[in-house]
Amino acid sequence: MTLAKTSAITSVTGGVLSNLANADTLNADNRSKPIWGPTLVVMSLILAPFIWHEWLMVLDSCPMLWGLGWWGSIPYPELIHHRIGSWGVPSIGKPGPDGQSAWDRTEQAIFTSFFAGASTAVAAVAAIRAIKK
Protein backbone atom coordinates (compact mmCIF):
# COMPACT_ATOMS: atom_id res chain seq x y z
CA MET A 1 0.00 0.00 0.00
CA THR A 2 1.40 3.38 -0.89
CA LEU A 3 1.78 6.33 1.41
CA ALA A 4 -0.93 8.28 -0.48
CA LYS A 5 -3.49 5.50 -0.05
CA THR A 6 -2.63 5.11 3.62
CA SER A 7 -2.99 8.82 4.31
CA ALA A 8 -6.29 8.93 2.36
CA ILE A 9 -7.69 6.03 4.38
CA THR A 10 -6.50 7.68 7.60
CA SER A 11 -8.13 11.00 6.72
CA VAL A 12 -11.43 9.33 5.72
CA THR A 13 -11.46 7.26 8.91
CA GLY A 14 -10.68 10.33 11.00
CA GLY A 15 -13.45 12.28 9.26
CA VAL A 16 -15.98 9.52 9.88
CA LEU A 17 -15.09 9.25 13.57
CA SER A 18 -15.21 13.04 13.93
CA ASN A 19 -18.65 13.17 12.28
CA LEU A 20 -19.94 10.34 14.48
CA ALA A 21 -18.84 12.24 17.58
CA ASN A 22 -20.49 15.39 16.24
CA ALA A 23 -23.73 13.44 15.56
CA ASP A 24 -23.69 12.10 19.13
CA THR A 25 -23.30 15.64 20.47
CA LEU A 26 -26.19 16.93 18.32
CA ASN A 27 -28.37 13.99 19.38
CA ALA A 28 -27.68 14.70 23.05
CA ASP A 29 -28.49 18.39 22.54
CA ASN A 30 -31.79 17.53 20.86
CA ARG A 31 -32.78 15.13 23.62
CA SER A 32 -32.16 17.75 26.30
CA LYS A 33 -34.53 20.28 24.67
CA PRO A 34 -38.17 20.40 25.79
CA ILE A 35 -40.56 18.62 23.43
CA TRP A 36 -43.45 21.05 23.95
CA GLY A 37 -42.54 23.57 21.27
CA PRO A 38 -45.07 25.91 19.67
CA THR A 39 -45.71 23.57 16.75
CA LEU A 40 -46.65 20.64 19.00
CA VAL A 41 -48.86 22.82 21.18
CA VAL A 42 -50.78 24.24 18.20
CA MET A 43 -51.15 20.79 16.62
CA SER A 44 -52.44 19.40 19.92
CA LEU A 45 -55.02 22.18 20.19
CA ILE A 46 -56.21 21.55 16.64
CA LEU A 47 -56.47 17.75 17.07
CA ALA A 48 -58.03 17.76 20.57
CA PRO A 49 -61.67 18.23 19.43
CA PHE A 50 -61.36 15.48 16.83
CA ILE A 51 -59.87 13.02 19.32
CA TRP A 52 -62.51 13.96 21.92
CA HIS A 53 -65.28 13.33 19.39
CA GLU A 54 -63.83 9.97 18.37
CA TRP A 55 -63.68 8.81 22.00
CA LEU A 56 -67.28 9.94 22.55
CA MET A 57 -68.29 7.91 19.50
CA VAL A 58 -66.47 4.81 20.74
CA LEU A 59 -67.73 5.04 24.32
CA ASP A 60 -71.32 5.90 23.34
CA SER A 61 -71.48 2.76 21.22
CA CYS A 62 -70.41 0.44 24.08
CA PRO A 63 -73.14 -1.41 26.00
CA MET A 64 -70.99 -1.61 29.15
CA LEU A 65 -68.70 1.08 30.56
CA TRP A 66 -66.42 1.27 33.55
CA GLY A 67 -67.91 3.13 36.47
CA LEU A 68 -67.23 3.66 40.13
CA GLY A 69 -69.11 1.63 42.71
CA TRP A 70 -69.12 2.28 46.44
CA TRP A 71 -68.99 -0.23 49.25
CA GLY A 72 -69.61 1.98 52.23
CA SER A 73 -66.99 4.67 51.80
CA ILE A 74 -64.61 2.51 49.75
CA PRO A 75 -64.72 3.04 45.95
CA TYR A 76 -64.19 0.16 43.55
CA PRO A 77 -64.34 -0.16 39.74
CA GLU A 78 -67.38 -1.84 38.24
CA LEU A 79 -68.99 -2.37 34.86
CA ILE A 80 -72.24 -0.47 34.46
CA HIS A 81 -74.91 -0.84 31.80
CA HIS A 82 -74.97 1.95 29.21
CA ARG A 83 -77.80 2.59 26.79
CA ILE A 84 -76.16 2.94 23.37
CA GLY A 85 -76.70 6.37 21.85
CA SER A 86 -77.92 7.97 25.09
CA TRP A 87 -75.28 10.71 24.89
CA GLY A 88 -76.70 11.97 21.59
CA VAL A 89 -73.40 11.79 19.71
CA PRO A 90 -74.03 11.40 15.96
CA SER A 91 -73.58 7.77 15.09
CA ILE A 92 -73.14 5.78 11.94
CA GLY A 93 -76.72 5.47 10.82
CA LYS A 94 -79.00 5.45 7.85
CA PRO A 95 -78.41 8.20 5.30
CA GLY A 96 -80.81 11.13 5.39
CA PRO A 97 -82.57 12.75 2.44
CA ASP A 98 -79.29 14.32 1.27
CA GLY A 99 -77.59 10.89 1.13
CA GLN A 100 -75.37 11.53 4.17
CA SER A 101 -75.77 10.23 7.70
CA ALA A 102 -75.25 12.43 10.75
CA TRP A 103 -71.84 10.78 11.16
CA ASP A 104 -70.79 11.77 7.63
CA ARG A 105 -71.87 15.39 8.11
CA THR A 106 -70.13 15.66 11.47
CA GLU A 107 -66.87 14.10 10.28
CA GLN A 108 -66.91 16.23 7.15
CA ALA A 109 -67.30 19.38 9.27
CA ILE A 110 -64.40 18.30 11.50
CA PHE A 111 -62.08 17.66 8.55
CA THR A 112 -63.12 20.95 6.93
CA SER A 113 -62.18 22.74 10.15
CA PHE A 114 -58.71 21.13 9.93
CA PHE A 115 -58.00 23.08 6.76
CA ALA A 116 -58.98 26.36 8.39
CA GLY A 117 -57.07 25.41 11.54
CA ALA A 118 -53.97 24.28 9.66
CA SER A 119 -53.51 27.65 7.97
CA THR A 120 -53.99 29.37 11.34
CA ALA A 121 -51.42 27.05 12.93
CA VAL A 122 -48.87 27.72 10.20
CA ALA A 123 -49.38 31.47 10.59
CA ALA A 124 -49.08 31.22 14.39
CA VAL A 125 -45.84 29.25 14.19
CA ALA A 126 -44.41 31.68 11.63
CA ALA A 127 -45.34 34.62 13.88
CA ILE A 128 -43.78 32.97 16.94
CA ARG A 129 -40.56 32.28 15.03
CA ALA A 130 -40.49 35.87 13.73
CA ILE A 131 -40.94 37.23 17.26
CA LYS A 132 -38.14 35.01 18.62
CA LYS A 133 -35.63 36.35 16.05
Side-chain angles (χ1 to χ4, degrees):
M1 199 179 281
T2 64
L3 183 61
K5 286 184 181 178
T6 305
S7 65
I9 291 172
T10 304
S11 68
V12 168
T13 306
V16 168
L17 292 176
S18 172
N19 288 334
L20 284 174
N22 189 21
D24 288 341
T25 304
L26 289 174
N27 192 13
D29 288 344
N30 284 337
R31 289 180 187 270
S32 66
K33 291 181 182 176
I35 60 168
W36 286 96
T39 306
L40 186 60
V41 170
V42 171
M43 288 172 57
S44 299
L45 291 175
I46 290 171
L47 289 175
F50 178 71
I51 294 168
W52 176 256
H53 180 262
E54 292 300 317
W55 272 106
L56 284 178
M57 283 295 307
V58 169
L59 293 175
D60 195 28
S61 63
C62 294
M64 300 293 280
L65 295 175
W66 284 103
L68 198 58
W70 293 90
W71 185 59
S73 61
I74 301 172
Y76 63 94
E78 68 175 348
L79 280 174
I80 56 173
H81 177 68
H82 170 70
R83 189 171 57 85
I84 295 175
S86 63
W87 295 348
V89 180
S91 60
I92 300 173
K94 296 179 182 175
D98 61 350
Q100 288 187 327
S101 66
W103 166 266
D104 294 332
R105 284 189 297 276
T106 304
E107 293 303 307
Q108 188 175 18
I110 289 172
F111 281 112
T112 303
S113 71
F114 282 162
F115 291 103
S119 59
T120 306
V122 169
V125 169
I128 290 169
R129 287 186 177 169
I131 291 170
K132 281 187 174 182
K133 287 183 179 181

